[in-house]
Amino acid sequence: MALADLPGLAGAKRLVQRLSRSADVTAVLLYGTAGAGQLEVAHALAAAWMCAAPTEDGPCGTCSGCGAVSRDVHVDLLWVRPAGAGNQIRIHQITEVDDPPEVVTPIQRFIGTPPLMAPHKVVILADVHRLNDRAANALLKTLEEPHPYVRFILTTSEIGEVMPTIRSRCLGVACELPGDEEARAVYGDAAPLYQLAPHAAARLQRQDEAFAKLNRLVDGLASEPVGAALRMAEELRAISGELDGDSAEREGLVATLELFAMLVSRRYPERPDWSRRILKAHRQVLGNVSSRTALDALFCRMLVER
Ligand SMILES: [Zn+2]
């Protein structure tokens, strides 16, 4: 999905246009509510820096560089994401260490050689509030050194947890949710729920097979017996795993619940109480209640209250 098609994000869209024409900024920190569109903006900005023929409006979208960025296969693009048991970004992802726990290309090695195809090498660090202390200090050193051909894009949904010294090394750009009017125009009555993380949900909506399963689950709310509640809760969890393989489990589930809420409110407009129930489960999952507890209760209630 092109950045221009996403609602909201006015400041971020202007930034992508500006940086397509000039490369004066070397590090950008994209922040906002989870799912506000940080990753979509990161993609667009990476393309702007790697496009062979950027236009006034940003990356051209058609050159081989733009195509490779959109498929996350560009040889000059490195993604760094939290991983492992603590879901953290760790030191071996930033710099060379002895006996790394997994085989990855650390940032320091990646930026040690000039770009092969694009005008710049671009490093995207997702969820930088999940850097552990050692990794954060190593990243800070990296950001402090001049790298003429390297550009950094950092994203976070928890700006308050990002080290101030890292924040001060980056141009901070807010990823804004659409305003009420814009959200209503795009998402209709489901806007208040959908607005919570519209772009994550929009991304999920494009994955046909899992989306079809989610639709069948919505159908089942009318036809399944009460005894099917726990199986349906389990199915929703499984679908969220399929839908959003890249992001952390909870994030995928949050976005899936938003999409589920939108579909339920469209299919059963006479049941606003179901939307409220889903919103409650959504808050619980955001608040770290176990997804099993929240979803089992949700489906039991919805089937019993028909
Ligand atoms: Zn291009």
Side-chain angles (χ1 to χ4, degrees):
M1 186 180 285
L3 190 60
D5 298 334
L6 293 176
L9 301 170
K13 286 172 184 169
R14 281 196 301 275
L15 174 87
V16 171
Q17 288 175 349
R18 192 188 117 204
L19 294 185
S20 300
R21 297 191 296 271
S22 113
D24 55 338
V25 174
T26 57
V28 171
L29 173 59
L30 304 168
Y31 63 92
T33 315
Q38 288 90 325
L39 293 184
E40 284 78 2
V41 176
H43 263 122
L45 188 51
W49 274 327
M50 305 177 89
C51 176
T55 69
E56 284 281 291
D57 294 329
C60 75
T62 52
C63 72
S64 62
C66 283
V69 171
S70 72
R71 297 193 308 278
D72 281 336
V73 295
H74 202 300
V75 65
D76 294 319
L77 175 66
L78 178 68
W79 275 89
V80 179
R81 298 183 172 90
N87 196 27
Q88 291 185 323
I89 299 174
R90 289 169 289 167
I91 184 82
H92 69 278
Q93 295 169 275
I94 311 294
T95 188
E96 305 279 0
V97 296
D98 296 332
D99 294 327
E102 58 183 340
V103 180
V104 295
T105 305
I107 293 174
Q108 282 288 0
R109 191 193 307 157
F110 176 75
I111 65 177
T113 53
L116 292 169
M117 318 256 305
H120 299 98
K121 277 197 162 179
V122 175
V123 179
I124 303 179
L125 288 112
D127 293 335
V128 286
H129 53 280
R130 297 199 168 277
L131 279 155
N132 71 16
D133 289 349
R134 280 183 74 201
N137 284 318
L139 176 66
L140 183 61
K141 278 207 196 81
T142 308
L143 292 174
E144 282 168 351
E145 291 160 14
H147 303 280
Y149 51 78
V150 182
R151 297 291 178 267
F152 293 92
I153 304 170
L154 284 58
T155 79
T156 184
S157 56
E158 305 290 342
I159 184 73
E161 291 174 27
V162 179
M163 254 167 60
T165 41
I166 287 182
R167 288 206 305 248
S168 72
R169 287 274 155 193
C170 302
L171 175 68
V173 179
C175 292
E176 302 145 1
L177 291 174
D180 285 351
E181 207 168 300
E182 193 183 1
R184 228 177 293 282
V186 178
Y187 302 122
D189 292 341
L193 267 169
Y194 204 49
Q195 206 175 355
L196 293 166
H199 308 320
R203 196 168 66 236
L204 304 187
Q205 207 164 356
R206 295 199 301 277
Q207 301 185 27
D208 294 346
E209 200 173 312
F211 192 56
K213 281 186 195 163
L214 193 60
N215 268 303
R216 282 199 292 278
L217 200 60
V218 173
D219 291 339
L221 290 174
S223 56
E224 293 283 354
V226 171
L230 299 188
R231 176 177 57 74
M232 292 175 81
E234 189 54 49
E235 263 174 45
L236 186 74
R237 263 194 302 276
I239 291 169
S240 91
E242 278 176 51
L243 277 171
D244 210 15
D246 280 353
S247 60
E249 186 195 340
R250 194 173 63 105
E251 256 170 64
L253 189 58
V254 164
T256 306
L257 271 171
E258 283 155 14
L259 193 53
F260 182 62
M262 188 193 66
L263 295 174
V264 168
S265 72
R266 275 192 195 158
R267 190 83 50 89
Y268 308 102
E270 72 286 4
R271 298 302 307 256
D273 55 319
W274 279 359
S275 292
R276 282 195 293 277
R277 289 240 173 260
I278 300 169
L279 182 59
K280 184 180 169 197
H282 177 270
R283 288 214 184 99
Q284 287 174 328
V285 173
L286 274 175
N288 269 333
V289 172
S290 100
S291 67
R292 192 170 297 273
T293 307
L295 295 188
D296 286 357
L298 170 67
F299 278 90
C300 286
R301 292 273 183 196
M302 287 203 294
L303 295 189
V304 167
E305 286 169 359
R306 283 176 299 187

